[in-house]
Amino acid sequence: MAIKKATRGATPAGNSAATTEQLVEFYRQMLLIRRFEERAGQLYGMGLIGGFCHLYIGQEAVVVGLTACANKQDTVVTSYRDHGHMLACGMDPKGVMAELTGRSTGYSKGKGGSMHMFSREKGFFGGHGIVGAQIPIGTGLAFAHKYKNDGGMSFAYMGDGAINQGQIYESFNMASLWSLPVLYVVENNKYGMGTSVERASASPDLAGRGEPWKIKTMTVDGMDAVSVYEAGLEACAHIRAGHGPVLMEVKTYRYRGHSMSDPAKYRTKEELEKMRSEHDPIDSLRQTLIGLKVTDEEGFKAIDKGIKEIVLEAAEYSQTSPEPDPSELWTDIVVAA
Amino acid sequence: MTTQILMPALSPTMTEGKLAKWLVKEGDKVTSGKVLAEIETDKATMEMEAVDEGTIGKILIPEGTEKVQVNEPIAVLLAEGESASDISAAPKKAEATKEAKAPAAPAASAPKAAQTAPEPTETGGKTQTVREALRDAMAEEMRKDERVYLMGEEVAEYQGAYKVSQGLLDEFGSKRVIDTPITEHGFAGLAVGAAFGGLKPIVEFMTFNFAMQAIDQIINSAAKTLYMSGGQMGCPIVFRGPNGAAARVAAQHSQCYASWYAHVPGLKVVAPWSAADAKGLLKAAIRDPNPIIFLEHEILYGQSFQVPENDDFVLPIGKAKIERQGSHVTIVAFSIMVGKALKAAEALAEVGIDAEVINLRSIRPLDIDTIIASVQKTNRLVTCEEGWAFSGIGSEIAALIMEQAFDHLDAPVARVAGKDVPMPYAANLETLALPQVADIVEAAKAVCYR
């Protein structure tokens, strides 16, 4: 691959905290998520993925920028728009795709599906299907980090739709009261299913929701991985220093519908097209890398090719792996005492 | 090899749709994300995007075609270096899902007791209230295992709303005995997260009536995640607190939740009666790697029983206890109704009816074997519970006995339960609403045709 090696501590994008190596990695990861999701959408169309399938296309910079701030012992929870988070956590695309197709080789042996996948090994604690329910759980993971004094922190992601659930504020209150090491991330993609933030939230300032609980708040451009990364570094430093939780509102955009069956009539084609053409996180980072002369056309081709192979391999694996054995119906209900 | 573009399913229920409009023509180059066509599904008109890059080699289904089956090839995409002559005719279809019959529940995972250890001896020991026994159980397990902690409203400085956690703050400190805000949904979910994170929380609900605020976290998060994660995400947690009717606190504070939680695979539901039950079962619950619903009873907190002094007295979850041997009728009860059933048995003895009384101890897994063995002997069964009869624990037991011991019954199973009304406040009405000793006596006589 024609990627120029970064010098340690290089500051390629003006005063950016990211090295050129990191920028290339951000690009690679965002592209992996996007290509994976496009392929998942295709498999859904073929009837190989069933039920609900919520794609992350457009929002890639959020999870890629923030995961770059995480340490090994940290934990992550999110909602059901979770494929990007799993890939960013380092989970195997094959196992994720095989779960989407309901195969025995999926992360949940085919018993969880798109919305319910986990990897203790990678610190990914789901994948939760009930809007907002992951936030008390992420707060509890933070509680466990503090209780065990393991130096870890919790990343708890939610959408703008979840922000009006009562349990979010119950969590904010306890996290602040007990100074728990948790980063709350609101991925504001402007629509909770088909209802815009303006139509659902009395105040559109979602970061401001942390203020009554004395939580440090931040608002970040979620279409730029570097901005997200830099904000993440600041947030994590605050949290790891024992100063309690941070609420970060990340302004982002999803290109696809809420789920596969959503025609997205609640927004204009022009709005979508403007985001795609002017604010796409992958295109803009590509331009940055070209401007910095870090990666050339050959380099991008090599990255694209590598990603395509990974995704095709995952798609193939997800179709050739066997369905769960019928005996799996009766396993994993309770742990044998 | 050329790539076929297939008619996509664009909703969970779509099997066919209309190819409303092509937005590309043959010879057009397309990249990932490019809108190719408009498809009318059973719900809406959707745009179909390209996944692969290439050139549209051939459009197979013209626009305006209705009832195009999902997975039917609608166009062919050519990769770099391919031409229209590379297009083969063989259409590729995704494999239909085969229908299969569900296998029978294996004995090990069926909702049944997996009883191996012999019943510990319960004779002798010291006299203790249920309240003290519960506290001792928590204290002993907390001494043993640093991961065990208690959280809930007023459990620490106030020493417990019902004084069950008396003294625990002094011994274990505020790190492990934690007063929460009044925020059931939040702290139940937080504790589930802590359990996923490697701790063993004991969550006290001031009463189980308030746990309804938290029931989504108990069922969707605690009970189901093990299954949904293919066995990765165990949730070792105890939700405990008083359940059922206290006294004169009316409808919102007087309800039995046994059948609510017993309905859910992934939960274990325990309901002790005596102080020995309370101690032995709570210790087992704390050690168990699963989410446990531990249903106590406020009226029982102050009642005294003999409790073995053995520091390691643990009772098996899923095993009932025969409190009184008898040969004419089996009376099954749990929690406070065990005491009432024993009183009823004394009254029945006076009229020559010899009742066997079974204390269920666990609701799920249910020790149906012990009940069947008793019914094989007595041929008559009365179930007792404080909760409503409709979809209640008695209904479940009646169904199981009908399925598994039908030929042993000499009379229909009788259910003694709370009246089918919200709990009234007035003292006389409350007494009428709750199942009493006399109701059990009457039911037992009826099934004995007396």
Side-chain angles (χ1 to χ4, degrees), chain A:
Chain A
M1 278 206 265
I3 297 166
K4 288 186 183 166
K5 199 169 186 308
T7 44
R8 186 166 291 278
T11 54
N15 297 319
S16 170
T19 65
T20 51
E21 275 174 332
Q22 278 179 306
L23 293 186
V24 174
E25 184 55 22
F26 291 173
Y27 180 82
R28 211 193 66 80
Q29 287 198 20
M30 289 197 291
L31 195 66
L32 171 64
I33 294 171
R34 179 153 310 173
R35 294 286 173 262
F36 181 94
E37 293 289 66
E38 288 166 350
R39 189 65 58 182
Q42 186 193 38
L43 297 186
Y44 190 92
M46 294 164 69
L48 290 163
I49 296 171
F52 297 125
C53 185
H54 309 86
L55 302 182
Y56 198 62
I57 297 173
Q59 301 182 211
E60 298 91 344
V62 180
V63 78
V64 167
L66 287 175
T67 307
C69 306
N71 294 338
K72 197 176 174 351
Q73 68 273 32
D74 294 343
T75 49
V76 177
V77 289
T78 189
S79 71
Y80 41 76
R81 195 177 304 286
D82 55 357
H83 311 162
H85 300 72
M86 295 187 275
L87 297 175
C89 283
M91 288 166 67
D92 184 350
K94 293 203 301 251
V96 179
M97 197 72 94
E99 187 61 35
L100 296 182
T101 55
R103 304 305 169 105
S104 61
T105 53
Y107 267 99
S108 297
K109 298 190 209 162
K111 300 202 281 196
S114 167
M115 302 186 286
H116 318 106
M117 263 185 263
F118 310 82
S119 170
R120 276 189 177 276
E121 186 204 344
K122 299 292 183 187
F124 184 74
F125 284 72
H128 296 269
I130 307 295
V131 174
Q134 76 276 16
I135 297 304
I137 292 171
T139 308
L141 287 163
F143 178 92
H145 285 304
K146 186 171 184 184
Y147 188 101
K148 294 186 292 186
N149 197 24
D150 65 5
M153 62 170 275
S154 163
F155 290 72
Y157 293 85
M158 70 196 99
D160 51 88
I163 200 72
N164 295 315
Q165 285 278 26
Q167 57 185 321
I168 306 295
Y169 302 99
E170 300 190 27
S171 300
F172 285 180
N173 183 46
M174 287 183 285
S176 184
L177 189 65
W178 299 333
S179 290
L180 300 181
V182 53
L183 172 57
Y184 296 113
V185 185
V186 182
E187 298 192 53
N188 180 358
N189 64 20
K190 300 181 75 171
Y191 300 92
M193 199 167 159
T195 304
S196 66
V197 170
E198 291 72 23
R199 295 204 300 124
S201 292
S203 163
D205 171 21
L206 304 186
R209 302 288 183 97
E211 283 161 14
W213 287 272
K214 299 181 182 171
I215 292 177
K216 177 183 166 70
T217 63
M218 303 171 81
T219 305
V220 183
D221 174 10
M223 302 306 279
D224 177 31
V226 176
S227 298
V228 174
Y229 172 63
E230 289 174 349
L233 289 179
E234 184 188 334
C236 293
H238 174 94
I239 294 161
R240 293 189 202 280
H243 300 316
V246 173
L247 172 59
M248 182 188 289
E249 179 188 357
V250 187
K251 306 245 188 211
T252 183
Y253 201 79
R254 71 168 143 76
Y255 296 175
R256 297 292 185 96
H258 165 75
S259 65
M260 291 301 294
S261 53
D262 171 17
K265 293 294 180 204
Y266 41 81
R267 63 187 184 191
T268 63
K269 279 189 178 175
E270 291 72 35
E271 177 185 304
L272 172 60
E273 209 34 60
K274 193 172 161 62
M275 290 303 290
R276 281 166 102 145
S277 58
E278 296 175 19
H279 300 284
D280 186 77
I282 299 177
D283 285 350
S284 62
L285 184 55
R286 186 183 173 109
Q287 291 313 314
T288 303
L289 290 168
I290 291 170
L292 292 165
K293 300 191 189 317
V294 175
T295 313
D296 58 16
E297 274 308 314
E298 280 306 301
F300 285 121
K301 268 197 177 166
I303 294 172
D304 289 357
K305 187 162 178 287
I307 298 286
K308 194 172 183 184
E309 279 167 12
I310 292 170
V311 172
L312 280 175
E313 190 191 2
E316 177 69 16
Y317 183 77
S318 77
Q319 293 170 66
T320 53
S321 290
E323 288 187 320
D325 189 89
S327 64
E328 284 291 340
L329 182 65
W330 294 103
T331 61
D332 307 320
I333 300 162
V334 294
V335 180

Side-chain angles (χ1 to χ4, degrees), chain B residues 15 27 50 53 55 68 116 141 162 186 201 203 223 234 309 313 320 325 334 344 395 404 411 414 418:
Chain B
T15 56
E53 293 185 351
T55 305
V68 182
T116 46
E141 293 307 303
Y162 296 101
V203 175
E309 285 190 84
F313 170 68
Q325 302 270 353
F334 60 94
S395 309
Q404 298 180 34

Side-chain angles (χ1 to χ4, degrees), chain B residues 26-48:
Chain B
E26 290 177 7
D28 281 1
K29 273 194 186 302
V30 298
T31 53
S32 301
K34 163 95 180 159
V35 179
L36 299 178
E38 284 180 4
I39 308 277
E40 276 179 31
T41 74
D42 48 349
K43 287 182 183 164
T45 301
M46 307 272 295
E47 290 179 342
M48 175 193 186

Side-chain angles (χ1 to χ4, degrees), chain B residues 204-208 239-243 294-297 301:
Chain B
E204 176 174 309
F205 289 117
M206 196 180 285
T207 82
F208 261 93
F239 297 104
R240 51 156 288 270
N243 170 66
F294 196 88
L295 303 171
E296 300 161 8
H297 203 293
Y301 280 151

